[in-house]
Amino acid sequence: MRPQPKKPIKARGKVLGGPVPLVCVPLVGRTREEILGEAGNIPAIEPDIIELRVDAWEFVEETAASVSMIRDVRKTVGEIPVILTCRGHWEGGFKQVSDGAKFSLYRMAAAEGLVDFLDVELAYGDEKIRENLAMIRESPVSLIVSSHDFEITPPKEVLFSTLAAQIRAGAHVAKLAAMPRNEEDVLTLLSATLLVRREYPDIPLITMSMGGIGAVSRVTGGLFGSDLTFAVGSKASAPGQIPAADLKQCLSVLYPQ
């Protein structure tokens, strides 16, 4: 059995931290038409969870329009869990988005129960993370605290300390992605994941090594303690993502039902 967290998170019938890692498909359209088109394809793709990358939206600074868009996506995808992500441009976001627009959207989407997870970068610091935790305290929404390095894979000790810092900050889910420069970097990422899973056994983890070299981590990461993997639906949101159908077939071999 793969290493699982002691406190998995249930969202709309899916279990993050269960026996099989969840498959997440990002929606990365820019316009209403593109976003709804991607959402319309979701029932055929059948992911476990979707991620709304609102940092790609042309209208993301318009909070009312963005909330309306999330409502429409929710109607289209039904009871599939949703991660709401507005990735900072300094960590691979599609464009720069003001903090005001980002966190207003987070607050309104969480208050309406439109999403199941919010993603906030560790770089915002403990105070901003605490603010978001307080905002969702009385709701079923969970907070993902994340870190992304699109240049290198830091040493194992740094990867471990980054994930540990996310957990200490109060993350319900800790997430880390790094770019490998060689095969050893992929092993470093997987080894750090396993170490964190053993040292911090409670909460779910999401880790990945990006790019072509790191693609193997998207298939095998669950064996080392990662509880979710990202796949391509219509478009990739990060380098090295595998088409959803292919990824699910690989996972069915590693985790036969």
Side-chain angles (χ1 to χ4, degrees):
M1 180 180 292
R2 77 180 198 89
Q4 299 171 221
K6 293 181 179 179
K7 298 179 180 178
I9 296 174
K10 295 182 181 179
R12 301 180 194 265
K14 296 296 183 180
V15 180
L16 180 63
V20 181
L22 298 186
V23 174
C24 179
V25 167
L27 275 60
V28 296
R30 297 175 297 110
T31 66
R32 284 188 58 86
E33 292 73 20
E34 290 175 354
I35 298 158
L36 288 175
E38 288 185 68
N41 290 331
I42 288 299
I45 298 172
E46 297 184 322
D48 298 305
I49 188 168
I50 65 171
E51 180 185 42
L52 279 180
R53 284 293 301 270
V54 300
D55 50 294
W57 294 2
E58 292 181 345
F59 48 89
V60 67
E61 295 285 347
E62 304 168 30
T63 302
S66 295
V67 173
S68 177
M69 185 76 260
I70 297 173
R71 291 190 194 110
D72 290 343
V73 170
R74 169 54 68 198
K75 292 175 185 176
T76 302
V77 303
E79 287 300 294
I80 295 176
V82 173
I83 301 171
L84 183 58
T85 299
C86 187
R87 178 71 58 235
H89 64 285
W90 65 89
E91 287 192 15
F94 289 101
K95 64 181 179 185
Q96 186 168 355
V97 179
S98 69
D99 286 353
K102 174 174 180 170
F103 292 111
S104 292
L105 181 56
Y106 276 22
R107 182 176 62 256
M108 295 179 70
E112 286 195 33
L114 297 173
V115 300
D116 305 280
F117 299 87
L118 301 176
D119 184 308
V120 175
E121 294 88 346
L122 179 66
Y124 273 103
D126 287 354
E127 182 176 353
K128 179 61 73 173
I129 292 169
R130 282 196 297 269
E131 288 177 8
N132 280 269
L133 286 168
M135 178 181 71
I136 61 176
R137 183 168 294 130
E138 302 303 322
S139 79
V141 177
S142 299
L143 187 68
I144 300 170
V145 179
S146 61
S147 300
H148 306 79
D149 192 324
F150 281 79
E151 299 297 325
I152 64 168
T153 297
K156 179 178 176 180
E157 295 76 13
V158 174
L159 297 176
F160 178 89
S161 65
T162 298
L163 286 163
Q166 294 169 0
I167 295 168
R168 289 195 303 270
H172 300 130
V173 183
K175 180 189 176 193
L176 186 148
M179 183 66 72
R181 293 186 174 179
N182 51 48
E183 291 80 2
E184 286 82 359
D185 282 347
V186 181
L187 297 177
T188 296
L189 183 284
L190 294 173
S191 180
T193 302
L194 184 58
L195 181 59
V196 173
R197 166 52 62 236
R198 288 174 173 167
E199 294 294 323
Y200 296 92
D202 286 343
I203 76 168
L205 305 175
I206 302 172
T207 67
M208 67 220 69
S209 186
M210 295 185 285
I213 297 174
V216 65
S217 72
R218 299 181 183 274
V219 176
T220 62
L223 300 175
F224 297 83
S226 182
D227 298 300
L228 182 147
T229 183
F230 288 84
V232 176
S234 298
K235 292 181 180 179
S237 62
Q241 289 177 356
I242 300 168
D246 295 338
L247 181 56
K248 288 194 288 186
Q249 186 173 8
C250 292
L251 295 181
S252 70
V253 174
L254 291 177
Y255 312 99
Q257 298 295 297

